[in-house]
Amino acid sequence: MSTTRELGERTQGMVDALAAISAEPDRLVRLFLTPEHRRAADLVGEWMRAAGLTVRMDAAGTMRGLRPAPGEDAPAGKKLLIGSHIDTVIDAGRYDGPLGVIAGIVALEEIRARGIVLPFGVEILAFGDEEGVRFPKTLSSSSTVAGILDPSMLDMVDADGISFRDALLAFGGDPEALAAEACRPRDVVGYVELHIEQGPVLEQAGEPLGVVTAIASQGRYRLTVKGEAGHAGTVPMAIRHDALAAAAEVVALIEEIARKGARHSLVATVGEMRVLPGASNVIPGEVHLSLDVRAADDDARIGAAADIRQGLAAIGARRGVVVTMETVHEKPVATCAPWLREAIAAAIAETTGARPRELMSGAGHDGQAMVKLTGIGMIFVRCHAGISHNPLEFVTIDDLGLAVEALIQTILEIARERAG
Ligand code: GLV
Ligand code: MN
Ligand code: MN
C-alpha cells in the first residue's frame, strides 16, 4: 500500500516519461497517429500490462487496458470506463491528457495492492484524438468507443494532405473495424476522467480538487477572406482589397463579440492564420483563419456564431472582399451525471476532509463524446496559475497524490453505490 505522497511521486515519474516522447527535441509535440503517438501508446500499454490489465490497441488507435470483474473473462462483463488522451497540442504542457490515463493506471495498481475486489470491470482508455490539432475534426477515438463516429471523418486530411484513413492504417489501426469497437450502453457503468483544471479557480480557492458540472458548448469554424492580391508598391490604398487587413478587422470583431458574452462564459479564439500568397511585396489576396467559440450554454455559443457571421458579411461588403465561415466541429454542452458528481464529491471529501466545489469545464474533453454512451463524471486537479496548453503547465506532487487517491475513492464510491 502506498502513501499519498508515493502515489504522487509514481504519477509524476510516469508523466515525465510520457513527456519525453515528442516529435521535437525542445518542445512537446505529439499529434494524433504520428510515430510519437505510437511510442507513447506502446509505453502506456507496457504500464497497463505491468498493472495486470489485459491490453489491446483498438481499431481507432486507443490503448485499452481491462481489469475484468472477478470471475469474468475479458472482455465480457459490465465495466467502468476511465480515460483521457495522450495526444498533445503544439508546445504542450505535460499533464493535459496523460495525467488522466496515468492516474487510472496508478489507481488500479493501488487497488490491486490493497487487495480490493471490485464488483465490476474497469477499463482504462488512452485516447489519441482529443486535441484535434492534426485533423479539422476531433474526438474520433472516444466517438469510436461511444459508437457515434461519423465515417466521413475518415476522409479528413491533415496539412500534408494525408487522410485520417491512411494515417490510421500506418499507425496499425483498422478503418474498416471502427464500428465494432463501440461499447454497448448496458455493458458500461459510467465514464470517469481526471484532468487538470486548466483554469485558475481551484488555485485561487486554495483547493486541490474539484468536481466538474458540465463541459462547455464548443464550435470550431474555418473562415476564409478572399480579397485581391496586387503589387505592394503600385496599388493605391484607396482601391485595395487587402485580405489580411480585412482579417485583422475580423479578429477584432470576434474579440468584441466574445467580450460582450462574459455572463455566459463566452470565449472566442482565432488561433491560426494563413496568409496567401505570403510575400512582403504582395498585397495579401487570401487569408484562412480558424475560429473556436465556447460558452456555458448552447444558445450563447450559437448566438455568438450568428453575430460573428453577420459581422463578417458587413466587413466583406465594406472592404470589397468575400468572407466565408464554415462550421467544422460542434459539440453541445455535456452535462455530468448527478450520481457521478455525487460519487466524486464524496470521494474528494473522503480524501481531503473537505467537500469540494463544483465547476464548469471551459476546455473540451473526451466526455463530450462519451456522454452519448453513458453517464460521465470528471475530477479536476489544481494546476499552477491555471496555465495550460503551455509548457509551463504544472501540478505539485502532493496534488497528484491526492488526485490519484480521490480517483481510487471514486471507484470505491461507485462500487458501494452499485452494491447498494
Ligand atoms: C482541448 O484541450 C480543447 O479544449 O480544445
Ligand atoms: Mn485535455
Ligand atoms: Mn488540451
PDB file of all heavy atoms in Angstrom, residues 140-162:
ATOM      1  N   SER A 140     -12.268  11.500 -32.402  1.00  0.00           N
ATOM      2  CA  SER A 140     -12.587  10.267 -33.135  1.00  0.00           C
ATOM      3  C   SER A 140     -12.380   9.037 -32.252  1.00  0.00           C
ATOM      4  O   SER A 140     -13.121   8.057 -32.369  1.00  0.00           O
ATOM      5  CB  SER A 140     -11.738  10.149 -34.403  1.00  0.00           C
ATOM      6  OG  SER A 140     -10.372  10.061 -34.087  1.00  0.00           O
ATOM      7  N   SER A 141     -11.374   9.059 -31.353  1.00  0.00           N
ATOM      8  CA  SER A 141     -11.110   7.874 -30.512  1.00  0.00           C
ATOM      9  C   SER A 141     -12.281   7.605 -29.576  1.00  0.00           C
ATOM     10  O   SER A 141     -12.795   6.484 -29.508  1.00  0.00           O
ATOM     11  CB  SER A 141      -9.841   8.046 -29.672  1.00  0.00           C
ATOM     12  OG  SER A 141      -8.914   8.891 -30.257  1.00  0.00           O
ATOM     13  N   SER A 142     -12.691   8.651 -28.832  1.00  0.00           N
ATOM     14  CA  SER A 142     -13.790   8.440 -27.885  1.00  0.00           C
ATOM     15  C   SER A 142     -15.120   8.255 -28.619  1.00  0.00           C
ATOM     16  O   SER A 142     -15.988   7.517 -28.155  1.00  0.00           O
ATOM     17  CB  SER A 142     -13.864   9.581 -26.866  1.00  0.00           C
ATOM     18  OG  SER A 142     -13.602  10.820 -27.464  1.00  0.00           O
ATOM     19  N   SER A 143     -15.259   8.897 -29.786  1.00  0.00           N
ATOM     20  CA  SER A 143     -16.502   8.698 -30.559  1.00  0.00           C
ATOM     21  C   SER A 143     -16.612   7.244 -31.011  1.00  0.00           C
ATOM     22  O   SER A 143     -17.715   6.703 -31.122  1.00  0.00           O
ATOM     23  CB  SER A 143     -16.534   9.618 -31.773  1.00  0.00           C
ATOM     24  OG  SER A 143     -16.544  10.961 -31.362  1.00  0.00           O
ATOM     25  N   THR A 144     -15.463   6.608 -31.288  1.00  0.00           N
ATOM     26  CA  THR A 144     -15.474   5.195 -31.690  1.00  0.00           C
ATOM     27  C   THR A 144     -15.976   4.333 -30.535  1.00  0.00           C
ATOM     28  O   THR A 144     -16.844   3.478 -30.714  1.00  0.00           O
ATOM     29  CB  THR A 144     -14.058   4.761 -32.114  1.00  0.00           C
ATOM     30  OG1 THR A 144     -13.678   5.540 -33.244  1.00  0.00           O
ATOM     31  CG2 THR A 144     -14.005   3.286 -32.473  1.00  0.00           C
ATOM     32  N   VAL A 145     -15.453   4.572 -29.337  1.00  0.00           N
ATOM     33  CA  VAL A 145     -15.886   3.795 -28.162  1.00  0.00           C
ATOM     34  C   VAL A 145     -17.367   4.057 -27.870  1.00  0.00           C
ATOM     35  O   VAL A 145     -18.117   3.158 -27.495  1.00  0.00           O
ATOM     36  CB  VAL A 145     -15.010   4.146 -26.932  1.00  0.00           C
ATOM     37  CG1 VAL A 145     -15.541   3.474 -25.677  1.00  0.00           C
ATOM     38  CG2 VAL A 145     -13.559   3.740 -27.178  1.00  0.00           C
ATOM     39  N   ALA A 146     -17.786   5.319 -28.078  1.00  0.00           N
ATOM     40  CA  ALA A 146     -19.183   5.679 -27.789  1.00  0.00           C
ATOM     41  C   ALA A 146     -20.134   5.239 -28.906  1.00  0.00           C
ATOM     42  O   ALA A 146     -21.351   5.344 -28.757  1.00  0.00           O
ATOM     43  CB  ALA A 146     -19.286   7.187 -27.576  1.00  0.00           C
ATOM     44  N   GLY A 147     -19.568   4.787 -30.035  1.00  0.00           N
ATOM     45  CA  GLY A 147     -20.415   4.322 -31.137  1.00  0.00           C
ATOM     46  C   GLY A 147     -21.049   5.457 -31.927  1.00  0.00           C
ATOM     47  O   GLY A 147     -22.086   5.275 -32.563  1.00  0.00           O
ATOM     48  N   ILE A 148     -20.423   6.646 -31.910  1.00  0.00           N
ATOM     49  CA  ILE A 148     -21.019   7.791 -32.624  1.00  0.00           C
ATOM     50  C   ILE A 148     -20.072   8.354 -33.680  1.00  0.00           C
ATOM     51  O   ILE A 148     -20.259   9.485 -34.128  1.00  0.00           O
ATOM     52  CB  ILE A 148     -21.424   8.921 -31.648  1.00  0.00           C
ATOM     53  CG1 ILE A 148     -20.218   9.386 -30.805  1.00  0.00           C
ATOM     54  CG2 ILE A 148     -22.563   8.474 -30.744  1.00  0.00           C
ATOM     55  CD1 ILE A 148     -20.419  10.747 -30.169  1.00  0.00           C
ATOM     56  N   LEU A 149     -19.069   7.570 -34.071  1.00  0.00           N
ATOM     57  CA  LEU A 149     -18.110   8.104 -35.052  1.00  0.00           C
ATOM     58  C   LEU A 149     -18.802   8.320 -36.407  1.00  0.00           C
ATOM     59  O   LEU A 149     -19.482   7.439 -36.908  1.00  0.00           O
ATOM     60  CB  LEU A 149     -16.944   7.132 -35.240  1.00  0.00           C
ATOM     61  CG  LEU A 149     -15.874   7.689 -36.182  1.00  0.00           C
ATOM     62  CD1 LEU A 149     -14.963   8.658 -35.448  1.00  0.00           C
ATOM     63  CD2 LEU A 149     -15.057   6.589 -36.826  1.00  0.00           C
ATOM     64  N   ASP A 150     -18.590   9.496 -36.955  1.00  0.00           N
ATOM     65  CA  ASP A 150     -19.117   9.797 -38.286  1.00  0.00           C
ATOM     66  C   ASP A 150     -18.098   9.258 -39.295  1.00  0.00           C
ATOM     67  O   ASP A 150     -16.960   9.733 -39.347  1.00  0.00           O
ATOM     68  CB  ASP A 150     -19.266  11.326 -38.399  1.00  0.00           C
ATOM     69  CG  ASP A 150     -19.638  11.766 -39.806  1.00  0.00           C
ATOM     70  OD1 ASP A 150     -19.770  10.898 -40.696  1.00  0.00           O
ATOM     71  OD2 ASP A 150     -19.774  12.988 -39.998  1.00  0.00           O
ATOM     72  N   PRO A 151     -18.478   8.246 -40.101  1.00  0.00           N
ATOM     73  CA  PRO A 151     -17.493   7.619 -41.001  1.00  0.00           C
ATOM     74  C   PRO A 151     -16.857   8.612 -41.980  1.00  0.00           C
ATOM     75  O   PRO A 151     -15.760   8.364 -42.471  1.00  0.00           O
ATOM     76  CB  PRO A 151     -18.307   6.563 -41.761  1.00  0.00           C
ATOM     77  CG  PRO A 151     -19.574   6.397 -40.999  1.00  0.00           C
ATOM     78  CD  PRO A 151     -19.816   7.644 -40.213  1.00  0.00           C
ATOM     79  N   SER A 152     -17.530   9.741 -42.221  1.00  0.00           N
ATOM     80  CA  SER A 152     -16.933  10.718 -43.152  1.00  0.00           C
ATOM     81  C   SER A 152     -15.640  11.311 -42.571  1.00  0.00           C
ATOM     82  O   SER A 152     -14.831  11.889 -43.294  1.00  0.00           O
ATOM     83  CB  SER A 152     -17.925  11.826 -43.495  1.00  0.00           C
ATOM     84  OG  SER A 152     -18.090  12.682 -42.388  1.00  0.00           O
ATOM     85  N   MET A 153     -15.440  11.149 -41.247  1.00  0.00           N
ATOM     86  CA  MET A 153     -14.189  11.645 -40.644  1.00  0.00           C
ATOM     87  C   MET A 153     -12.969  10.968 -41.270  1.00  0.00           C
ATOM     88  O   MET A 153     -11.874  11.524 -41.292  1.00  0.00           O
ATOM     89  CB  MET A 153     -14.175  11.418 -39.122  1.00  0.00           C
ATOM     90  CG  MET A 153     -14.907  12.489 -38.339  1.00  0.00           C
ATOM     91  SD  MET A 153     -14.860  12.166 -36.563  1.00  0.00           S
ATOM     92  CE  MET A 153     -13.372  13.004 -36.055  1.00  0.00           C
ATOM     93  N   LEU A 154     -13.164   9.738 -41.788  1.00  0.00           N
ATOM     94  CA  LEU A 154     -12.029   9.013 -42.379  1.00  0.00           C
ATOM     95  C   LEU A 154     -11.449   9.741 -43.591  1.00  0.00           C
ATOM     96  O   LEU A 154     -10.297   9.535 -43.966  1.00  0.00           O
ATOM     97  CB  LEU A 154     -12.471   7.601 -42.785  1.00  0.00           C
ATOM     98  CG  LEU A 154     -12.675   6.637 -41.616  1.00  0.00           C
ATOM     99  CD1 LEU A 154     -13.434   5.406 -42.059  1.00  0.00           C
ATOM    100  CD2 LEU A 154     -11.326   6.252 -40.994  1.00  0.00           C
ATOM    101  N   ASP A 155     -12.244  10.604 -44.195  1.00  0.00           N
ATOM    102  CA  ASP A 155     -11.773  11.326 -45.387  1.00  0.00           C
ATOM    103  C   ASP A 155     -11.092  12.655 -45.060  1.00  0.00           C
ATOM    104  O   ASP A 155     -10.599  13.332 -45.960  1.00  0.00           O
ATOM    105  CB  ASP A 155     -12.962  11.584 -46.332  1.00  0.00           C
ATOM    106  CG  ASP A 155     -13.590  10.276 -46.790  1.00  0.00           C
ATOM    107  OD1 ASP A 155     -12.828   9.328 -47.046  1.00  0.00           O
ATOM    108  OD2 ASP A 155     -14.834  10.204 -46.856  1.00  0.00           O
ATOM    109  N   MET A 156     -11.091  13.044 -43.779  1.00  0.00           N
ATOM    110  CA  MET A 156     -10.417  14.306 -43.414  1.00  0.00           C
ATOM    111  C   MET A 156      -8.939  14.209 -43.790  1.00  0.00           C
ATOM    112  O   MET A 156      -8.351  13.128 -43.706  1.00  0.00           O
ATOM    113  CB  MET A 156     -10.428  14.527 -41.892  1.00  0.00           C
ATOM    114  CG  MET A 156     -11.753  14.599 -41.240  1.00  0.00           C
ATOM    115  SD  MET A 156     -11.568  15.027 -39.478  1.00  0.00           S
ATOM    116  CE  MET A 156     -10.706  13.641 -38.767  1.00  0.00           C
ATOM    117  N   VAL A 157      -8.344  15.334 -44.162  1.00  0.00           N
ATOM    118  CA  VAL A 157      -6.908  15.316 -44.452  1.00  0.00           C
ATOM    119  C   VAL A 157      -6.181  16.305 -43.553  1.00  0.00           C
ATOM    120  O   VAL A 157      -6.749  17.306 -43.123  1.00  0.00           O
ATOM    121  CB  VAL A 157      -6.601  15.653 -45.935  1.00  0.00           C
ATOM    122  CG1 VAL A 157      -7.011  14.517 -46.848  1.00  0.00           C
ATOM    123  CG2 VAL A 157      -7.240  16.950 -46.356  1.00  0.00           C
ATOM    124  N   ASP A 158      -4.920  16.002 -43.263  1.00  0.00           N
ATOM    125  CA  ASP A 158      -4.116  16.912 -42.448  1.00  0.00           C
ATOM    126  C   ASP A 158      -3.430  17.942 -43.347  1.00  0.00           C
ATOM    127  O   ASP A 158      -3.660  17.972 -44.571  1.00  0.00           O
ATOM    128  CB  ASP A 158      -3.115  16.128 -41.582  1.00  0.00           C
ATOM    129  CG  ASP A 158      -2.000  15.473 -42.405  1.00  0.00           C
ATOM    130  OD1 ASP A 158      -1.907  15.720 -43.632  1.00  0.00           O
ATOM    131  OD2 ASP A 158      -1.205  14.724 -41.810  1.00  0.00           O
ATOM    132  N   ALA A 159      -2.581  18.767 -42.781  1.00  0.00           N
ATOM    133  CA  ALA A 159      -1.949  19.864 -43.540  1.00  0.00           C
ATOM    134  C   ALA A 159      -1.064  19.339 -44.663  1.00  0.00           C
ATOM    135  O   ALA A 159      -0.782  20.059 -45.637  1.00  0.00           O
ATOM    136  CB  ALA A 159      -1.134  20.732 -42.581  1.00  0.00           C
ATOM    137  N   ASP A 160      -0.609  18.070 -44.559  1.00  0.00           N
ATOM    138  CA  ASP A 160       0.225  17.491 -45.621  1.00  0.00           C
ATOM    139  C   ASP A 160      -0.589  16.692 -46.626  1.00  0.00           C
ATOM    140  O   ASP A 160      -0.016  15.982 -47.464  1.00  0.00           O
ATOM    141  CB  ASP A 160       1.303  16.580 -45.006  1.00  0.00           C
ATOM    142  CG  ASP A 160       2.239  17.358 -44.098  1.00  0.00           C
ATOM    143  OD1 ASP A 160       2.553  18.515 -44.456  1.00  0.00           O
ATOM    144  OD2 ASP A 160       2.622  16.836 -43.041  1.00  0.00           O
ATOM    145  N   GLY A 161      -1.904  16.743 -46.494  1.00  0.00           N
ATOM    146  CA  GLY A 161      -2.764  16.017 -47.436  1.00  0.00           C
ATOM    147  C   GLY A 161      -2.924  14.539 -47.105  1.00  0.00           C
ATOM    148  O   GLY A 161      -3.465  13.780 -47.909  1.00  0.00           O
ATOM    149  N   ILE A 162      -2.452  14.108 -45.924  1.00  0.00           N
ATOM    150  CA  ILE A 162      -2.595  12.692 -45.535  1.00  0.00           C
ATOM    151  C   ILE A 162      -3.980  12.502 -44.917  1.00  0.00           C
ATOM    152  O   ILE A 162      -4.391  13.261 -44.028  1.00  0.00           O
ATOM    153  CB  ILE A 162      -1.510  12.286 -44.516  1.00  0.00           C
ATOM    154  CG1 ILE A 162      -0.128  12.471 -45.147  1.00  0.00           C
ATOM    155  CG2 ILE A 162      -1.706  10.845 -44.035  1.00  0.00           C
ATOM    156  CD1 ILE A 162       1.016  12.332 -44.175  1.00  0.00           C
TER     157      ILE A 162
END
